[in-house]
Amino acid sequence: MRTALLQSSGRPGSIAENLKVLDEAAGRAAAGGAALLVAPEMFLTGYAIGDAVGRLAEPADGDSADAIAEIATRHGVAIAYGYPERDGETVHNSAQLISADGTRLANYRKTHLFGGFERDHFTPGEQPVVQAELNGLTVGLMICYDVEFPENVRAHALAGTDLLVVPTANMHPFEIVAESMLPVRAFENQMYVAYANRVGHEGEFEFFGLSTLAGPDGIARTRAGRGEELVFADADPGFLAASREANPYLKDRRPGLYGSLA
């Protein structure tokens, strides 16, 4: 499945402008043959927007979800994107996957919040594995810091995730995550990992880009630079099946030894 990673911070604070950016990117993704477009963490509103998080938060089935479903349908491409989700009085840092026919396939709430900003504005989710079927692949959702916990990704591997989609807002000086950790996560769990990062300065943060799609062989199929960019790579189910057959990590586990980890 050809996958496009949108590396952009959009227009922080403006949902309308970010929908325009997403629409334009979806058109380019479709023209490039992609079946899935992945946008960064909190793409709908911007990340470093302070108390506007609560004001701009929407339910998973809100107006913006409807607008993105229309974009997905018009361009014929599935879209995964980050946004602040309102559920009553609670706000979550969430990611949603919408199919190319506009169906809401999956919604994930970030389980591991990073830093004071996130802990001040969001409530962590409690469901670590959220998946959907898309074009013959089992797609899992995670957000940024979540992927840095090996237990999280291993849970997806054991649940059969083929492509782990990770909308991200990672900042300097943590480039090691994109450059080294992502390929290792993909290799040790025998899956594809798609990591779409924000880029540039936003509030107190400097997002470094380096959006990456890594394969089960630990090799990055694509990696963006440090500017706004749309990059493409394929998640190949045939290659994934062969890699899983050759790599014994999941078969050679001894879960009885790992009880102390929890």
Side-chain angles (χ1 to χ4, degrees), residues 32-48:
L36 171 64
L37 169 66
V38 183
E41 179 178 4
M42 293 283 287
F43 186 77
L44 182 64
T45 60
Y47 181 88

Side-chain angles (χ1 to χ4, degrees), residues 111-135:
T111 54
H112 295 75
L113 302 181
F114 177 80
F117 170 75
E118 291 191 12
R119 288 191 288 269
D120 286 345
H121 289 90
F122 300 109
T123 297
E126 297 296 332
Q127 187 174 354
V129 177
V130 173
Q131 299 168 311
E133 297 302 311
L134 184 67
N135 289 31

Side-chain angles (χ1 to χ4, degrees), residues 137 161-165 186 190-194 213-217 219 221 234-240 244:
L137 292 175
T161 292
D162 300 314
L163 170 62
L164 185 61
V165 169
Q190 288 299 290
M191 62 173 61
Y192 287 93
V193 180
L213 194 149
D217 52 1
I219 295 174
R221 297 298 191 273
D234 294 318
D236 180 352
F239 183 85
L240 180 60
R244 286 173 169 171

Side-chain angles (χ1 to χ4, degrees), residues 73-239:
T73 302
R74 181 156 39 82
H75 293 291
V77 60
I79 299 175
Y81 66 98
Y83 73 108
E85 178 193 357
R86 178 166 295 284
D87 183 6
E89 295 302 310
T90 301
V91 177
H92 299 280
N93 183 339
S94 295
Q96 184 151 228
L97 174 64
I98 294 178
S99 73
D101 67 4
T103 302
R104 293 174 47 244
L105 295 179
N107 189 71
Y108 169 78
R109 295 167 172 175
K110 190 173 187 178
T111 54
H112 295 75
L113 302 181
F114 177 80
F117 170 75
E118 291 191 12
R119 288 191 288 269
D120 286 345
H121 289 90
F122 300 109
T123 297
E126 297 296 332
Q127 187 174 354
V129 177
V130 173
Q131 299 168 311
E133 297 302 311
L134 184 67
N135 289 31
L137 292 175
T138 300
V139 176
L141 293 174
M142 245 181 219
I143 299 174
C144 197
Y145 194 40
D146 290 327
V147 80
E148 298 176 36
F149 292 81
E151 301 90 345
N152 253 20
V153 187
R154 180 52 53 88
H156 269 272
L158 296 176
T161 292
D162 300 314
L163 170 62
L164 185 61
V165 169
V166 190
T168 293
N170 204 351
M171 66 284 291
H172 179 77
F174 303 113
E175 285 88 343
I176 189 174
V177 176
E179 293 172 340
S180 300
M181 185 181 292
L182 261 294
V184 170
R185 288 285 178 271
F187 179 71
E188 69 189 2
N189 290 290
Q190 288 299 290
M191 62 173 61
Y192 287 93
V193 180
Y195 187 81
N197 198 13
R198 303 180 71 84
V199 67
H201 286 88
E202 191 177 332
E204 63 183 287
F205 306 111
E206 181 189 353
F207 299 113
F208 58 72
L210 302 180
S211 297
T212 302
L213 194 149
D217 52 1
I219 295 174
R221 297 298 191 273
T222 189
R223 177 172 285 136
R226 293 176 182 265
E228 296 217 350
E229 199 169 346
L230 185 72
V231 296
F232 295 80
D234 294 318
D236 180 352
F239 183 85

Side-chain angles (χ1 to χ4, degrees), residues 58 60-72 81 96 98 102 104:
E58 297 185 20
D61 60 353
D63 291 344
S64 293
D66 290 343
I68 292 172
E70 189 278 328
I71 291 170
Y81 66 98
Q96 184 151 228
I98 294 178
R104 293 174 47 244

